[in-house]
Amino acid sequence: MPHDSSTQSPLIAKSGTELAGLIASGDVSSEEVVAAHIARIEQVNPALNAVVVPLFDSARRQAAEADQRRRRGEPLGALHGVPVTVKECFNVAGTDATLGVKRLVGRPSPHDGPLARRLRAAGAIILGKTNVPQLMLLHETDNPVYGRTNNPWDASRGPGGSSGGEAAIIAAGGSPLGLGSDLGGSIRQPAHSCGICGLKPTSRYLTNVGSRLFMRGMQSIVVSPGPLARSVADLRLALEALRPQSEADTQFDESMAPRRAAATVDVSRLRIGMWTDDGFFAPSPAIRRGVREAADALRRCGAEVEAIDPPDAHELLRIYLGIIGADGGRRAAKFVSGSPSDWRIRRQRVLMGLHKSTQRATAALLAALGQRHSAELLGVLGRKTADQYWDLTEARDALAHRFLAQLDEQRIDAVLSPPHALPAMRHGDSIYFFGAATYCYLLNLLGMPAGVVPVTHVQPSEQSDRTPSRDLVFRRAARCERQTAGLPVGAQVFARRWREDIVLAVMAAIEEQLPEVGRIVPIHCNSAGSGPPD
């Protein structure tokens, strides 16, 4: 998308933390900051289609009111006057939360949900809501209501998902920070794909009250709301604003998490484990290098980093996909009933709904034809009985117990790993690469906090090193890796439950050592985003 960089306000390059300080001191007004970000959205959104529910008029009014409160000397919140964006699934007064399902269009929420309310209480100004895949079930962002979102680095690729619209507009400078959610990497994979930071907190750290979820009621793996931003400092700032501020504000599905400051964590005293490959779906060369470079950065900070064994990714995938697909796709079918269904969602429903005998026969045929990856995934899908579902939950707990015992035995404080096996994927490809996301799924399954920080970019010489294979998934992966030079690469950091402070401190140390990444993307999109379907 052609543009004149001289017309961009320098305010869009500043972090939310910096903007909050400038507004509080009176050096700039909230009106100026909000106007600059609205102008940037209007400039880049035709190419991205990331902000699908703009709230510009109300944002301008709120910015003027914020400036008046500052001039009157009223107490200011930590995000006073700072513009933010939120994922489409969250309730914001007067807006729809459709998950890309047309029958839910025109049913606006009468009030803000708890997380939007907390952002506003901290002084944030919501600029708009950002795009998602239908039902939030894909690592790309496209749906029959709002259309497709493009990656700001390359319009032929997606920004990831399901918080893909959020990641895209933050990377492009239209918003300094925002709110997403994560069930299987839906914050971390888009952050990696778009070159920004993202944090999935401990499960039940933040409430799902006030957000639309089609799998509400599934408790073995829960959706985790969390922040995305271009800096780790902004993740800390947003997380503090999003958490309940009192017992009275705490929702039934979240905890008053212990307040531990990342600034008190001495990274030089940490023992950090790492792996570059979990043995299931080998990451691209640049992603493996990114983990090694992050490890080297931490060693320069004085941390002790050593290779450790990952959990069994085959067992992990069996448990994760078994739980996610335990209803045989029936809830998804009900949710989209009477509305156009995205083809990728239809495909998932068909595979999950196959009769067990058909499923086994198909998986055996695929394996015989050399399609072992697809055969393994198909073999774990399908409707489960209550007894089978409980067995999977018990297996999840056993895997968690073994892994935590390993961390204890090796005295590991945090772990460094790939966030995903591939860089930003081409449009339409995510349906083939569920197995590439085991690096994400692990932390959803175990409920542990995990973040992604940008570390490098794909070099021309390292786009793919996959050996020729009969397996169509890995052949497609090799094709996906072509022409990826210049795309961003992130590293994933995770720690034990409720240790967001350690995750953020380690991420900040990596960020400080690798400061050339994480800046606003100079938009190269030369084709318009795919807007709402006719």
Side-chain angles (χ1 to χ4, degrees), residues 154-306:
D154 181 346
S156 70
R157 294 175 183 267
S162 60
S163 306
E166 196 61 44
I169 201 61
I170 291 171
S175 173
L177 59 91
L179 174 61
S181 60
D182 193 312
L183 177 65
S186 290
I187 288 173
R188 293 160 290 147
Q189 189 267 343
H192 158 66
S193 296
C194 292
I196 65 169
C197 303
L199 178 71
K200 180 203 82 69
T202 301
S203 295
R204 298 182 175 86
Y205 189 107
L206 295 174
T207 182
N208 280 304
V209 174
S211 63
R212 191 180 292 281
L213 304 174
F214 92 92
M215 286 192 288
R216 195 177 297 278
M218 184 188 69
Q219 295 297 308
S220 294
I221 306 170
V222 298
V223 174
S224 294
L228 297 99
R230 290 191 305 274
S231 74
V232 178
D234 279 6
L235 294 183
R236 291 200 300 265
L237 184 67
L239 188 65
E240 183 58 30
L242 288 165
R243 60 177 289 150
Q245 302 301 307
S246 67
E247 288 285 356
D249 185 39
T250 304
Q251 303 297 311
F252 74 94
D253 64 339
E254 67 183 344
S255 301
M256 277 294 288
R259 271 188 160 84
R260 296 188 176 109
T264 65
V265 176
D266 185 351
V267 172
S268 71
R269 298 175 65 88
L270 298 181
R271 281 175 55 84
I272 298 171
M274 65 169 285
W275 60 74
T276 59
D277 189 336
D278 68 6
F280 184 79
F281 199 118
S284 300
I287 296 172
R288 303 196 301 270
R289 175 176 58 82
V291 175
R292 292 193 297 269
E293 290 188 0
D296 289 341
L298 292 171
R299 291 188 182 103
R300 291 195 294 273
C301 295
E304 185 178 352
V305 185
E306 64 178 62

